[in-house]
Amino acid sequence: MDKKKGMKIALKIIFLIVFVAFTAGLYFLFGIFAAGDSIIYGEYGYICKIMLAVILVASIVSLAFAMFGKITKAKKIIASIVCAVLIVLIKPAMNVAEKICAKPYTEFSVENWDKVVQISPNLRQYMLLDLEEKYEIVGMNVSEVIELLGEGDWTEDIHERNIRYYRVGSSFPGAKVYVIKNNENGTVFEASVEFR
């Protein structure tokens, strides 16, 4: 093997090692920071983590095939395109996986609301749509809201109104909270999601 050919192979190996490190970084980034709460805390989150690992390993294999396979130039181009497409598909695939993993937490009931807190209060966010479809929170008396949602994770009294906060999700670097505001008569006049 001549020196030029050896240098070319060494550069390919270095590039492949850098790509493997890049995909490991992607796995860490998407698995920890970009993954939704249903993936991180949910019962079926492992499915998404396995799917992400399969996509990244497939991209590494297709790139290695393109670089080292004894194949035609056209097949090398196709393998490189497959590698790029797999990398681009990571975020959309994770969005679909999050919806699938969130499915067990979408139905609101007092029991479900209380039960998910044992897993993570962040899973409550998936129930909010169903909660607001079943109940007109605005206009309810705060005692009725407390029967549904509990006392709240914390409360504040500001200028003759009471504010209750229910943690419902994560939001780097803070939290997503469901905020219930009631007036001095106990009537809820606002129910919204805020980031703190």
Side-chain angles (χ1 to χ4, degrees), residues 158-179:
I158 301 174
H159 307 297
E160 298 181 6
R161 61 184 174 148
N162 195 348
I163 305 175
R164 297 182 180 284
Y165 298 93
Y166 299 88
R167 185 179 177 123
V168 294
S170 61
S171 168
F172 186 77
K176 191 187 304 184
V177 291
Y178 190 54
V179 182

Side-chain angles (χ1 to χ4, degrees), residues 11-16 62-69 76 79-80:
L11 285 173
K12 284 181 178 181
I13 291 170
I14 290 169
F15 181 77
L16 190 60
S62 64
L63 182 64
F65 186 69
M67 292 173 69
F68 297 104
K76 286 185 180 205
S80 299

Side-chain angles (χ1 to χ4, degrees), residues 25-59:
L26 278 179
Y27 184 82
F28 178 76
L29 270 173
F30 280 103
I32 303 295
F33 296 111
D37 289 328
S38 68
I39 294 170
I40 294 171
Y41 303 108
E43 187 178 356
Y44 301 106
Y46 68 90
I47 295 170
C48 179
K49 291 172 184 156
I50 291 170
M51 177 201 69
L52 179 60
V54 167
I55 289 172
L56 292 174
V57 167
S59 69

Side-chain angles (χ1 to χ4, degrees), residues 119-151:
I119 303 167
S120 171
N122 293 347
L123 296 172
R124 289 172 167 171
Q125 66 185 303
Y126 304 109
M127 292 182 199
L128 291 179
L129 183 63
D130 192 45
L131 167 69
E132 293 181 343
E133 285 177 0
K134 289 179 178 176
Y135 301 94
E136 287 271 342
I137 301 294
V138 174
M140 288 177 82
N141 188 285
V142 72
S143 61
E144 296 172 303
V145 172
I146 291 170
E147 282 182 40
L148 283 175
L149 307 178
E151 288 289 336

Side-chain angles (χ1 to χ4, degrees), residues 17-28:
I17 290 169
V18 168
F19 185 76
V20 168
F22 169 75
T23 55
L26 278 179
Y27 184 82
F28 178 76

